[in-house]
Amino acid sequence: MSRFLRSAALAALTVAAAGAFATAASAQSYNRLVVFGDSLSDNGNLYAVSGQPTSPPYFNGRFSNGPVFTELLGFNAGRYTAGAPVTGSVNYAFGGARTDSSLNPPGMRNQLLAYTGAGGTFGANDLVSILGGANNIFQAVPAAAGSANPTGAIQPVALAAAADINFIVNSVAGAGAGTILVSNLPNLALTPQFNQGAFAAAAPLADYAGTQFNGALLAGLMTTAAARPGSNIILMDLYKIGPALVANAGAFGLTNVRDTCFNGVTVCATPDTYLYWDSVHPTAAGHRLLAALADDYLYYGDIGAQSTVQAETGFRQREDLLDLASEGLSGRADWQAGTHLTFGAIADSVETDARGTVAAAESTGWGGRLGLDHVMSSGARFGFAGTFRTAEVDAGAMAFDVETYAFDVYGGWRSGGSFVNATVGGSIDHYDDITRVTSLAPIIHTGETDGGSVGARLQGGVWFDMGGIGLSPRVAVNYVSTEVNGYVEQGPAAQYAYQDRTVQAASGEISLRAEGGGEQLSFFVEGGYRDTFSDSSDAVRTGITANPAQILARDIEDPFGGSLIASAGVDADLGPVKMTIGYRGRFGDAADSHVGAITFRLPLQ
């Protein structure tokens, strides 16, 4: 329930920020936008030459009651018909356009020719939007439906339209476009054109045509993507998102996802609660949803970088357990011969600051620890411990739980005032209940994965008696490697495919510890500094499943760099049982962590 409530809250925040997100993210990633398409992308080109659609009630020549989705991606694209220069953001889409070389309105092949003929080129930082194919199908459905073989008649039309789009994509990619957003067709049978009225009987045929188009489009895009590695070709899946919008209309503020708001004569009283403006076109609210979906696809590399927090959580927990094992070997008190049962509890919290595309994160957790400790002599000691830990992590739009099963082996040596100890251990990490609030909030994607961590710590120091207070300067080196297995999100928006990742680093620390008190009750305090001297962590790599989109890598700023170390605690002699209560904190520029532990030692012989 707590996970659900956190996800719901994140969804609400994302809804509130959706409009601002598009502009900010676009400004960071793409220099300009070039648009080829039909009425779903037309920002007034057809209206400029024909006066259609009638405005009002249509909005300033758009086939909707507001801006279309390409106008909501953070760019001010000029109209081709207004003479917009080809060196800036520009829109060549025409309402009613087919995908071919039709002249009036200009088909999408001719739109591309008009752009290049005017001197238009494509660059590595350009974003190109390509969406079309529905008009080819709409125009062919009546004749196909009346033929002896409707599917046989409509299939060539759908395949030819897909071939046109693939030709355009290949041409644009070959000309050097950095990113190409290609949209497939939604389920046409869900539109008012086919879900009611005279064409309702043709709904299955319209759906069939759309799925034929989508299948051929995807196959062609995969081929083009393999041949044109210089362009990132991203398929925005409108077909997959449709059922989610219909099934959860209320969550998006919609009350009607079946009927038209404008019936050709009158306009409904609440357009923002309708998905469809007319028989085939979305309302302004619908276009806002399309733009949010586009964000989820366009910025998957940056958004997916948030998953770095998963490996970082496993890494930090492994460091904590190495520190805890070492803690028990570095005190001043004499070691008691024999074998002891050790058991206790751990609680921790971590706050990590925002780092570029990675949002701030918070983690809280607890755990239990059980082990055996054996002192062979006054100078030799070894033991092992098993630990279970669980934590809940909230990290921007991502949240998850992690359960860790760890095992550590340690040993120590001391002579006079000198000591050395070493710990090695490993963990199995399960990342469950992973949620990501998509850009199309409140849609939340889910996932789960696992991984593991290994690490080692070597510490040495000396003790000096300063008139009843013991002082110990000490040094330590640590090495931790954490692996998180790749996984694929589940959900109807851009379905991110996170790749395997390893976070590994070595660090060194210096500290000074002081101890005082008597035999029954003593205390300790310690301060120091830890910093990473070797980091060979992988970048976060994110793709989109079943999509030609490339796997994008994002290097993450090191959250485990220099940090101050502070610890304190008390040791109490409770008869046969020895109790230690301790705290250890790390305070860095990018992250703060706090770990508290209570440990009991009970002699077994």
Side-chain angles (χ1 to χ4, degrees):
M1 179 61 70
S2 62
R3 171 67 62 223
F4 173 80
L5 291 174
R6 288 197 304 275
S7 298
L10 286 168
L13 290 172
T14 306
V15 169
F21 173 81
T23 301
S26 297
Q28 295 170 1
S29 302
Y30 305 108
N31 286 346
R32 68 186 189 113
L33 171 68
V34 181
V35 180
F36 304 110
D38 56 22
S39 54
L40 288 182
S41 305
D42 184 357
N43 64 347
N45 282 315
L46 183 67
Y47 181 77
V49 298
S50 70
Q52 296 296 320
T54 303
S55 302
Y58 286 84
F59 172 76
N60 294 346
R62 279 71 166 173
F63 285 80
S64 183
N65 64 316
V68 296
F69 86 96
T70 54
E71 298 179 88
L72 304 175
L73 299 180
F75 304 89
N76 184 19
R79 294 195 310 274
Y80 158 62
T81 52
V86 294
T87 54
S89 294
V90 60
N91 189 320
Y92 274 73
F94 275 82
R98 294 167 58 90
T99 59
D100 52 25
S101 299
S102 300
L103 296 178
N104 189 23
M108 292 178 64
R109 284 191 180 227
N110 276 341
Q111 293 173 23
L112 176 60
L113 286 176
Y115 173 77
T116 57
T121 60
F122 299 98
N125 293 319
D126 290 348
L127 170 62
V128 182
S129 174
I130 299 173
L131 169 56
N135 289 316
N136 302 53
I137 294 172
F138 289 150
Q139 295 169 19
V141 162
S147 70
N149 182 7
T151 57
I154 202 71
Q155 184 182 47
V157 175
L159 297 183
D164 287 333
I165 297 295
N166 279 314
F167 171 83
I168 295 168
V169 172
N170 185 58
S171 300
V172 171
T179 302
I180 307 172
L181 179 68
V182 187
S183 303
N184 67 5
L185 294 181
N187 186 341
L188 301 177
L190 298 178
T191 66
Q193 176 80 4
F194 294 104
N195 69 26
Q196 57 192 273
F199 289 100
L205 183 62
D207 185 30
Y208 172 81
T211 56
Q212 289 292 301
F213 172 91
N214 289 345
L217 177 65
L218 176 59
L221 294 179
M222 288 294 193
T223 300
T224 300
R228 306 287 191 186
S231 294
N232 189 16
I233 300 170
I234 305 171
L235 175 65
M236 182 163 71
D237 196 339
L238 301 183
Y239 191 92
K240 182 175 66 174
I241 199 65
L245 293 177
V246 172
N248 303 283
F252 301 98
L254 303 175
T255 60
N256 192 319
V257 294
R258 172 178 172 81
D259 304 316
T260 63
C261 175
F262 175 54
N263 61 13
V265 179
T266 59
V267 176
C268 66
T270 56
D272 268 2
T273 66
Y274 277 66
L275 179 60
Y276 293 105
W277 170 248
D278 57 24
S279 61
V280 294
H281 300 113
T283 58
H287 275 286
R288 289 194 294 269
L289 295 176
L290 288 179
L293 179 65
D295 283 339
D296 214 44
Y297 280 93
L298 288 173
Y299 305 107
Y300 67 95
D302 290 343
I303 297 172
Q306 192 66 34
S307 65
T308 184
V309 181
Q310 295 165 2
E312 292 170 2
T313 300
F315 185 104
R316 192 177 289 275
Q317 289 193 348
R318 176 96 300 272
E319 282 193 320
D320 290 345
L321 294 179
L322 294 175
D323 291 343
L324 185 60
S326 181
E327 176 72 39
L329 299 173
S330 62
R332 184 174 61 152
D334 293 337
W335 291 344
Q336 297 177 337
T339 301
H340 298 77
L341 174 69
T342 63
F343 58 94
I346 307 169
D348 66 272
S349 67
V350 181
E351 295 181 356
T352 305
D353 297 338
R355 294 157 287 152
T357 60
V358 180
E362 294 184 355
S363 171
T364 57
W366 59 272
R369 186 172 174 86
L370 179 66
L372 288 176
D373 185 279
H374 181 67
V375 177
M376 295 179 291
S377 67
S378 61
R381 176 179 175 183
F382 71 92
F384 60 85
T387 306
F388 168 78
R389 296 182 71 176
T390 183
E392 293 184 349
V393 183
D394 289 314
M398 179 171 282
F400 59 91
D401 296 337
V402 57
E403 291 185 349
T404 297
Y405 301 87
F407 186 79
D408 293 275
V409 178
Y410 55 84
W413 171 88
R414 63 197 304 178
S415 177
S418 302
F419 67 88
V420 175
N421 59 71
T423 304
V424 295
S427 310
I428 298 174
D429 307 314
H430 297 288
Y431 302 90
D432 301 319
D433 296 329
I434 302 172
T435 60
R436 179 178 71 85
V437 182
T438 70
S439 303
L440 187 57
I443 287 180
I444 296 175
H445 282 192
T446 61
E448 62 179 35
T449 188
D450 52 28
S453 303
V454 295
R457 174 178 170 87
L458 179 65
Q459 183 187 53
V462 294
W463 278 102
F464 299 100
D465 190 345
M466 307 295 291
I469 299 294
L471 292 180
S472 173
R474 56 201 41 205
V475 296
V477 291
N478 309 277
Y479 170 79
V480 173
S481 178
T482 296
E483 294 183 357
V484 177
N485 295 324
Y487 67 97
V488 174
E489 292 179 343
Q490 302 302 310
Q495 203 170 343
Y496 294 176
Y498 301 95
Q499 309 301 299
D500 294 349
R501 182 167 185 242
T502 298
V503 171
Q504 55 187 359
S507 63
E509 70 178 63
I510 57 173
S511 62
L512 179 66
R513 182 182 178 109
E515 289 191 11
E519 294 183 0
Q520 300 299 314
L521 183 67
S522 63
F523 68 90
F524 64 88
V525 293
E526 184 174 344
Y529 183 77
R530 176 182 291 181
D531 201 356
T532 300
F533 61 80
S534 176
D535 186 341
S536 54
S537 301
D538 295 339
V540 176
R541 296 179 300 131
T542 310
I544 305 177
T545 189
N547 200 292
Q550 296 174 355
I551 295 173
L552 299 183
R554 294 289 185 267
D555 290 313
I556 305 300
E557 180 184 339
D558 177 21
F560 311 113
S563 56
L564 297 175
I565 300 171
S567 62
V570 294
D571 292 309
D573 188 338
L574 306 178
V577 177
K578 309 299 182 184
M579 179 183 71
T580 300
I581 300 175
Y583 160 83
R584 185 175 181 88
R586 289 177 57 182
F587 306 91
D589 293 334
D592 296 336
S593 68
H594 311 274
V595 180
I598 181 169
T599 303
F600 299 92
R601 298 181 71 243
L602 178 66
L604 295 181
Q605 63 181 43

